[in-house]
Amino acid sequence: MIDSLKLDKRVKNLLLILREKDLVTYRHSVRVANIVHFICVEWELPNVELITRSALLHDIGKLRIPTHILDKNAKLNEEEWTLMKNHASDSFDILHSLFSPDEIDFQMIRHHHENEDGTGYPVGLKSTNISYNTKLIRIIDSYEAMTGIRPYRKPLTKEDAIGELKRYSGIYYDRDMLERFHYTINKEVSAVAKSSYVVGSHIL
């Protein structure tokens, strides 16, 4: 999977700090990157390494969120939710100060919580203004959040997660891309799931 991704000292240091602060977000980021890499290869997309590196660091802005908010199992209050929503822009700010555009897809980082219907954040972009890579990570980020292991709930099955994603097809997620993702992810279980966190132990 992404074990062969070229990770320089900047990437490794950021991941090490993230792992120390919030293991759940760290594992989520590694898992998202693994799935992104798998999809990029299956779909023969260009710039696989750049997209995968961006996926690996997409939530790095959560370093700026207080731990008690990241660890909260109950619904966030308005102030906490505002802070949480800042993480996409914070990720952009952190990475923009360290990397160049040929190393990180900054649009993908800043807008990975935008929705097709314009109800996302931080800007409220609609479908035609959301890049291809951003639409891809929007789907995969949600898919992993539903199927990944969390200390406060059981993961959804792959089938249940896809069903939940399809409820918001054309609303949150690009309809055509989601259909293609559904078809491709059926191949993913043995290829990715068994090595989800191998990268994490390998690169650090």
Side-chain angles (χ1 to χ4, degrees):
M1 302 313 298
I2 65 171
D3 300 67
S4 60
L5 183 67
K6 295 177 183 177
L7 300 176
D8 64 20
K9 188 175 181 179
R10 296 167 298 173
V11 177
K12 292 181 180 180
N13 285 343
L14 286 171
L15 290 174
L16 180 60
I17 296 168
L18 181 61
R19 188 176 69 176
E20 290 299 313
K21 181 180 178 68
D22 184 16
L23 187 59
V24 170
T25 298
Y26 167 78
R27 286 177 169 169
H28 165 73
S29 298
V30 172
R31 170 72 170 162
V32 167
N34 269 311
I35 301 173
V36 164
H37 184 271
F38 173 79
I39 294 294
C40 285
V41 172
E42 287 290 313
W43 293 1
E44 299 182 347
L45 299 181
N47 303 314
V48 174
E49 186 168 316
L50 178 145
I51 298 171
T52 305
R53 184 186 299 108
S54 301
L56 190 59
L57 298 172
H58 76 283
D59 271 345
I60 204 68
K62 289 186 177 180
L63 290 174
R64 295 182 178 176
I65 297 176
T67 302
H68 74 274
I69 295 178
L70 294 174
D71 292 343
K72 187 173 181 178
N73 294 335
K75 183 178 179 179
L76 300 180
N77 62 38
E78 185 175 347
E79 180 181 355
E80 292 168 338
W81 179 233
T82 298
L83 287 173
M84 181 65 80
K85 288 193 295 184
N86 287 340
H87 84 270
S89 294
D90 287 340
S91 293
F92 173 87
D93 291 342
I94 292 169
L95 297 177
H96 196 264
S97 69
L98 296 171
F99 296 92
S100 64
D102 62 344
E103 295 174 302
I104 292 289
D105 183 334
F106 293 115
Q107 291 296 310
M108 180 178 163
I109 297 296
R110 187 164 188 248
H111 298 296
H112 70 271
H113 281 290
E114 302 287 1
N115 295 330
E116 289 288 291
D117 64 356
T119 61
Y121 62 87
V123 178
L125 298 179
K126 289 189 175 183
S127 178
T128 55
N129 293 316
I130 302 173
S131 73
Y132 186 94
N133 293 346
T134 304
K135 291 183 178 190
L136 179 61
I137 197 173
R138 181 72 177 96
I139 293 171
I140 295 174
D141 190 31
S142 295
Y143 175 80
E144 198 293 320
M146 296 176 194
T147 60
I149 298 172
R150 300 293 186 274
Y152 49 85
R153 62 153 176 79
K154 292 183 178 180
L156 295 183
T157 65
K158 179 180 67 175
E159 292 76 16
D160 286 345
I162 291 294
E164 188 67 17
L165 291 174
K166 287 190 173 185
R167 285 182 57 199
Y168 296 96
S169 177
I171 302 171
Y172 292 172
Y173 313 108
D174 182 275
R175 193 182 306 276
D176 293 337
M177 187 179 289
L178 182 55
E179 285 299 322
R180 190 179 185 189
F181 175 78
H182 182 196
Y183 174 80
T184 307
I185 204 65
N186 287 326
K187 305 177 184 179
E188 177 264 356
V189 176
S190 60
V192 175
K194 293 180 181 179
S195 64
S196 297
Y197 304 133
V198 171
V199 176
S201 59
H202 174 70
I203 63 178
L204 300 181

